[in-house]
Every structure is written in structure tokens, then in C-alpha cells.
Amino acid sequence: MIIIGAGLGGLALAHGLRKQGIDVAVYERDAHPGARPQGYRIQLDEPGLTGLRECLPAALFELCLSTAGAPPARVSVRNRRLDVLADKAAAHSSAAADVSGPRAFNRPTLRQIMLLGLDGQVHYGARLVGYGHDADGRVTARFADGRTATADLLIGADGVNSAVRGLLLPGARVEDAGLRLVYGRIPLDGSTRAQLPSWVFESIFTVVTGGPGQPHLGLGPVEFGRRPEEAGRALTPPVDLSPVGDYVACLVGAPADHPAMPPFAELRTLAPAALRDLALRWTGEGWHEDVHGLLAHWDTDSLFPLRISTAAPVPHWQPGPVTLIGDAIHAMSPVLAMGANTAVRDAGELTRALAEAAGRGEPFVRAVGRYENRMREYASRIVADSRQTGQQRVGQR
């Protein structure tokens, strides 16, 4: 099997296939794992934790859990004066995942763990430029540097700007959701935690909204169950995980048509200090003093901009030796924290379908068809729910 993309979904799938005795190679366009910022906090609950457990070796799954934080399993929405608009329980994990509630992961740590055990299977600097169907039913991928790879199945796990989707489903559209974010961290070092308002730590995620069509603030604490570097050393054999301190993921977002919003091409060129100044303009007068206090603790060097996208519905397509998982097929607004959950769920669903086909001696294409039918069913609902919630809370288009 060939997987295009070494993000969370692609790596989960690689482990899942290896557990089933299926040969796999992962091709990633980035030159190395840290080639570009990919965010900080990731929330996994149901069904992401179940998919993660299905795919990962038991030792790696336990290592992931040991480094995750477990904030109160509630999601809160407040207005700019911090009046509570909504406060509800976050999704519960299933008994199969053997976890008591949703977890907050540090995304770079999670990805670093998921790369363990895949030595020689992940190939960097490999930008897909095309693929062809061979006479024997297999598929050959072609890369910009001249490399080729042939397998029974090619899976696009290459994100919102998926090259595989562009080739397989050229009519599939990923739409601009009309939101721009400045994303960063508030380090919880020294006395900082004591200086932050207690309500920040009372939910796994909090949205402070200025109202439809207005800026918003998002906050998610990441307090490690065990520091990654310590958890890695305790493993047998020990592994090196990069040291990371506790933090609060902090984003400020605004609609693309906000008067103080530059075009995204310009936003991408701004230095972190300029991004900070811009976000402070969005959350000026009328916002509670707690918000201003929180942003005073923002780590300026951690800031980078994001444009939010969402997938348009895709007409049914015929299954074949090429398929898609994660944002490559169902990009969604982050307001429900279901993007990573759904990508890892896809990895588990596809692994299970392929393992069943192998056990029955069926062609893999039949398994792909079953997976795609199932994935379309659950993912289309989540994309629609994310769009609706984003429209209600933060002015998504």
C-alpha cells in the first residue's frame, strides 16, 4: 500500500496496516517532519481515540495517552463579557478505547510518537505529481523528483490541498470558510498559570465569541499527564521525545471580511509581532479584561496564521485502487474539534475493511468501496454540523 501524506491520519493508517501484516510505504512532500508549523493542541475523543487504539501498537497507544492532558470534559461558549452562553459535556470516549474522557494532545508530540516504528517506511521530499493504473490493476505513483512507487492501493492522506484528490476527483471543491486565525500558545511556566483566570481550565475548550460576524477567541489547556521526555525515557526500550512544557493553546479569529483583516496572502507574510498586533485590534474595546490579560501572556514567537476551509459535498464516485482519508476528502471547520478525530477514524475504518478483505481473499477494491460508503455517511454529517455550528458561533460562511 502507498500512503500519500505523513500527517496524523496517514501515520495512523500506516500503523494499522502494518499490524495487519500489510506492507506499506508513506510518501510525504515536506523535507522533514518539522518543515512547517502544523499547530499545537489536538483534541481526541470519540471516535478518534478508538481509531488510534485500533491502529497503533499497544505500547505506542499507551505512550500517547500518558503524555496527553485530561482537562474537564466540557466545552464552553462565552460572550465577550464572559457570560456563559453554552456549557455542555464533551463527547465521551467508548469503552473500546478504555479511556475515561476526551484528551488534549500536543500535536507535535503525538506525531513524533506515531513516527516511531516506521523507520524506512516514511519517505520525505516526495511531492506527488501523478499516478497511473497498471494493466494488472495496480497503481503507480509518480513524484516530482522522478521517483515512482507501485502498489495495490494508493491512499491520499495529504490534507486540505490534497494532490491525490485533485487527480482522483478534479470536480471536488474545498471552499474558503471565510475565517482567518492567528494561532499560538500561552506557556504555563513559572507563575503564569496562577495569573490566568480559573475559567480557562474548567473546560477542555472554551470559545469566547464577539457574536456572528465578529472576532472570537479560542482557548484549550494542554497540561501533560506526564512530560513527553519523561514518558519516552520510561518506555522499554526508551525513546527520545522532544521536551515540551504545559501551555494553553490560544487562537484569535475573525471573518475574512472584517475591516481590520488583510488579504490572506498578506497575512501569511506578517511577522509574529505584526500578527499579535492585528489580533489585539480584533479584540479591543468591549472585551472583558480577562481576555486582554490572557493575550498579554501570548508567546509572540509561537504565532502563525491559518485560513479555515470546508469541503463541499462530493457526488458518489466509483471505488478503485485510489482512495482518500481525512482532510483530503472531508475538510471541516475546527469548531467541533472533529477534524483529527474523523481522520483517525477513517484510518481505523479503512484498516478494518482491508483486513477483512484480505481474510476473505477478496479484491481490495471491494474493501475500498465499503470504506468509502461508510466514510461518506458519517463524514458528511460531521462536515455539515461543523459548518452550521461555525456559522452560529463564529461567523463561518
Side-chain angles (χ1 to χ4, degrees):
M1 304 291 173
I2 296 170
I3 299 170
I4 307 297
L8 300 183
L11 294 176
L13 179 61
H15 279 291
L17 295 178
R18 279 173 55 97
K19 281 178 68 174
Q20 298 299 327
I22 299 174
D23 290 336
V24 63
V26 182
Y27 291 85
E28 167 58 50
R29 63 176 176 262
D30 288 346
H32 56 84
R36 57 190 169 90
Q38 297 193 18
Y40 303 111
R41 173 190 173 277
I42 284 288
Q43 178 181 323
L44 290 182
D45 36 42
E46 179 62 37
L49 289 169
T50 298
L52 197 67
R53 180 170 186 173
E54 287 179 345
C55 290
L56 294 190
L60 293 189
F61 179 72
E62 293 301 327
L63 181 59
C64 290
L65 289 187
S66 71
T67 62
R74 307 198 65 77
V75 177
S76 297
V77 182
R78 296 169 178 259
N79 63 23
R80 69 176 70 189
R81 296 179 299 279
L82 299 186
D83 302 317
V84 176
L85 304 178
D87 183 44
K88 64 177 184 178
H92 292 292
S93 62
S94 72
D98 194 25
V99 183
S100 59
R103 298 298 181 97
F105 296 84
N106 180 51
R107 183 178 188 135
T109 299
L110 185 58
R111 190 169 184 231
Q112 194 173 13
I113 293 171
M114 294 173 73
L115 282 165
L116 296 173
L118 294 178
D119 297 338
Q121 273 78 48
V122 183
H123 309 276
Y124 291 99
R127 180 172 64 86
L128 183 77
V129 294
Y131 64 77
H133 296 280
D134 300 344
D136 61 359
R138 307 181 84 201
V139 61
T140 295
R142 303 188 304 275
F143 301 95
D145 60 3
R147 278 181 283 182
T148 63
T150 300
D152 295 314
L153 183 63
L154 185 149
I155 303 108
D158 48 344
V160 174
N161 299 311
S162 170
V164 180
R165 184 189 65 245
L167 295 165
L168 176 65
L169 303 171
R173 294 181 295 111
V174 176
E175 301 171 341
D176 184 347
L179 293 175
R180 308 290 184 262
L181 307 180
V182 176
Y183 189 23
R185 307 189 309 164
I186 299 172
L188 296 177
D189 49 10
S191 61
T192 302
R193 194 189 193 288
Q195 297 176 39
L196 301 186
S198 60
W199 57 264
V200 172
F201 303 96
E202 293 171 357
S203 302
I204 195 167
F205 198 76
T206 300
V207 176
V208 182
T209 176
Q214 297 298 315
H216 67 280
L217 176 79
L219 299 161
V222 179
E223 297 181 279
F224 295 97
R226 191 172 192 182
R227 291 295 176 88
E229 63 274 25
E230 296 174 0
R233 286 196 297 266
L235 198 67
T236 304
V239 297
D240 290 328
L241 296 180
S242 300
V244 187
D246 296 342
Y247 64 91
V248 175
C250 177
L251 63 88
V252 176
D257 58 2
H258 188 277
M261 179 67 68
F264 187 67
E266 180 181 338
L267 193 67
R268 293 180 62 187
T269 68
L270 296 181
L275 289 171
R276 179 191 184 99
D277 292 343
L278 184 62
L280 293 178
R281 288 176 61 193
W282 298 342
T283 52
E285 294 183 9
W287 289 75
H288 194 281
E289 60 182 15
D290 279 4
V291 172
H292 300 299
L294 284 161
L295 296 180
H297 291 284
W298 230 1
D299 176 11
T300 300
D301 290 339
S302 74
L303 303 183
F304 65 94
L306 287 172
R307 174 175 56 193
I308 302 304
S309 302
T310 188
V314 183
H316 187 279
W317 68 91
Q318 287 297 115
V322 181
T323 192
L324 299 157
I325 70 169
D327 284 351
I329 186 59
H330 47 62
M332 63 188 72
S333 166
V335 293
L336 295 181
M338 288 302 294
N341 276 289
T342 312
V344 178
R345 177 180 184 174
D346 291 348
E349 296 276 358
L350 182 54
T351 294
R352 196 178 314 117
L354 291 171
E356 290 172 356
R360 298 170 182 166
E362 290 181 343
F364 283 135
V365 172
R366 292 188 187 176
V368 168
R370 288 195 293 270
Y371 155 73
E372 289 177 345
N373 286 336
R374 178 78 177 124
M375 178 268 292
R376 274 189 287 261
E377 180 184 352
Y378 60 74
S380 62
R381 292 197 304 267
I382 299 170
V383 172
D385 289 348
S386 296
R387 184 192 296 267
Q388 182 180 37
T389 303
Q391 290 168 342
Q392 294 169 346
R393 291 183 183 172
V394 294
Q396 178 180 338
R397 289 176 185 162

